[in-house]
Amino acid sequence: MVEVGSRVRGFLRNRWLVFVAAMWMQSVAGVGYLFGSISPVIKASLGYNQRQVASLGVAKDLGGNVGFLAGTLCAVLPLWAALLVGAAQNLVGYGWVWLAVTHRVPVPPLWAMCILFTIGNNGLTYFNTAALVSCVENFPNNRGPVVGILKGFAGLSGAILTQIYAIVHSPDDAALIFMVAVGPAMVVISVMFIVRPVGGHTQARPSDGISFTFVHSLCLVLAAYLMGVMLLEDLVGLSQTLTIVCTIVLMVLLLVPVVIPVILSFFSNDDEGVYAALLPSSRRGEASGSVPYEEQHEVLVSEVQDEGRKGPWRGEDCTLLQAIIKADFWLLFFSLLLGSGSGLTVFDNLG
């Protein structure tokens, strides 16, 4: 019984469980990509012209790409609290839009609708920030694959939500807006206590390579499956029964990654002590206090260099003020500023 309890606690603190929960959260964190699908019903219901709809799109993009508040709150609050704020923003912003489109509340003026879209889509920045921060800290030696997989799931989220909506499709097209308001909030609230840095994982594991290969392969299968299903729905047309079956298969594919933390926690001996024993002898000697003279000299030189340098090195944690004096920051800033606009234009104007 003690062994089972220890395994369960290890499962709840397993960094792969955090990663899988972050993937699920990211799979609903791209509702901004659905603007082209919800804008026709907004245009028809509220009598907007295309210029007014474009204004809503700009407001939506502003909320989804300005993450200073989310970054600040994630730094000062527990991640679950920041995620709760993001879920509330998503629910209130898009929920009020749904109420206005269905005429359950008085229709706000255009500027107020823009504010609602900004608030609703800004909630997604909390999901992105919490997922990336926690998983990058849990996988410091695999930051690239982690960020790539999480952003990949965010990119697929529009297709995932569209497929889920297909099984509850009704003559009321505004139901998609309701799902955009409620769905992400429900998913995030269900995993907000799981997505967090768990600590004690600064070393690579022999199982990491196999696990990342499995997740990468699953991402490719998931993307190909979604594309195939959508092409069949558009070109051939699927019955409601087949649509439900395809959606169930999609849900199974999304749940499959949880086998990684289950296997690592209950069917393997992935123990921190095992990997501490695998450290090079020099590192173990350092831990025990017996460090050769040459290595002591290297450590002293390294400490002098650390004292002489200004600010963190690339890849280390830094504040916003430390970041804005770095060339890397401005290279990324202008690349995203100038390069992301074309993609957003397509998403906002093609359903």
Side-chain angles (χ1 to χ4, degrees):
M1 185 63 68
V2 175
E3 176 67 19
V4 173
S6 176
R7 293 281 184 175
V8 171
R9 287 192 296 272
F11 173 74
L12 295 177
R13 287 186 54 83
N14 190 290
R15 60 179 181 162
W16 280 98
L17 177 64
V18 177
F19 190 32
V20 171
M23 286 190 281
W24 292 340
M25 191 166 67
Q26 288 294 87
S27 67
V28 296
V31 297
Y33 298 138
L34 286 175
F35 183 79
S37 298
I38 65 177
S39 59
V41 66
I42 295 174
K43 187 176 181 180
S45 177
L46 303 183
Y48 285 166
N49 57 39
Q50 188 59 35
R51 185 178 183 86
Q52 291 171 313
V53 171
S55 299
L56 295 179
V58 172
K60 180 266 299 180
D61 294 335
L62 182 66
N65 290 279
V66 178
F68 290 113
L69 180 59
T72 301
L73 290 182
C74 284
V76 300
L77 295 177
L79 286 184
W80 66 264
L83 287 172
L84 190 60
V85 172
Q89 283 192 210
N90 182 86
L91 181 62
V92 171
Y94 282 110
W96 204 312
V97 169
W98 174 74
L99 292 174
V101 169
T102 56
H103 300 283
R104 287 176 167 82
V105 297
V107 178
L110 179 62
W111 63 266
M113 289 290 289
C114 289
I115 292 176
L116 290 175
F117 268 96
T118 301
I119 292 174
N121 217 49
N122 187 250
L124 307 179
T125 62
Y126 293 82
F127 309 161
N128 289 323
T129 302
L132 292 172
V133 166
S134 58
C135 291
V136 165
E137 289 191 21
N138 291 339
F139 295 87
N141 297 315
N142 296 282
R143 296 180 178 183
V146 163
V147 173
I149 291 170
L150 291 178
K151 298 307 291 184
F153 270 89
L156 292 173
S157 61
I160 292 171
L161 290 171
T162 300
Q163 184 60 36
I164 294 174
Y165 172 70
I167 67 173
V168 294
H169 181 68
S170 67
D172 180 16
D173 291 332
L176 180 58
I177 304 177
F178 179 80
M179 191 184 72
V180 165
V182 176
M186 292 177 60
V187 173
V188 170
I189 290 175
S190 66
V191 301
M192 66 183 184
F193 292 110
I194 299 176
V195 179
R196 71 204 189 282
V198 293
H201 298 294
T202 58
Q203 294 174 247
R205 304 288 201 277
S207 60
D208 286 351
I210 298 175
S211 299
F212 277 114
T213 300
F214 177 77
V215 174
H216 276 124
S217 302
L218 182 64
C219 289
L220 293 174
V221 171
L222 181 61
Y225 176 77
L226 285 169
M227 179 177 291
V229 170
M230 289 187 172
L231 287 175
L232 287 175
E233 290 175 346
D234 290 339
L235 300 178
V236 180
L238 299 177
S239 65
Q240 185 67 11
T241 301
L242 286 177
T243 300
I244 292 175
V245 171
C246 291
T247 306
I248 292 174
V249 173
L250 170 63
M251 300 305 296
V252 171
L253 289 175
L254 290 174
L255 292 174
V256 164
V258 80
V259 302
I260 298 176
V262 169
I263 291 174
L264 292 177
S265 298
F266 295 100
F267 301 100
S268 71
N269 295 317
D270 193 7
D271 191 358
E272 288 290 334
V274 174
Y275 297 98
L278 298 177
L279 283 171
S281 58
S282 60
R283 293 286 300 278
R284 292 200 300 269
E286 180 180 349
S288 63
S290 57
V291 183
Y293 171 78
E294 292 80 1
E295 294 191 15
Q296 292 179 7
H297 178 69
E298 292 177 0
V299 170
L300 290 175
V301 171
S302 177
E303 290 177 353
V304 171
Q305 291 176 344
D306 289 344
E307 291 178 359
R309 65 174 176 159
K310 294 182 179 180
W313 283 345
R314 180 180 297 167
E316 295 180 345
D317 291 337
C318 60
T319 65
L320 178 61
L321 293 178
Q322 290 172 331
I324 61 177
I325 63 173
K326 299 289 187 181
D328 287 3
F329 173 86
W330 292 108
L331 178 62
L332 292 170
F333 180 84
F334 284 110
S335 297
L336 292 173
L337 181 68
L338 300 176
S340 299
S342 58
L344 292 174
T345 302
V346 173
F347 293 137
D348 290 351
N349 292 280
L350 296 180

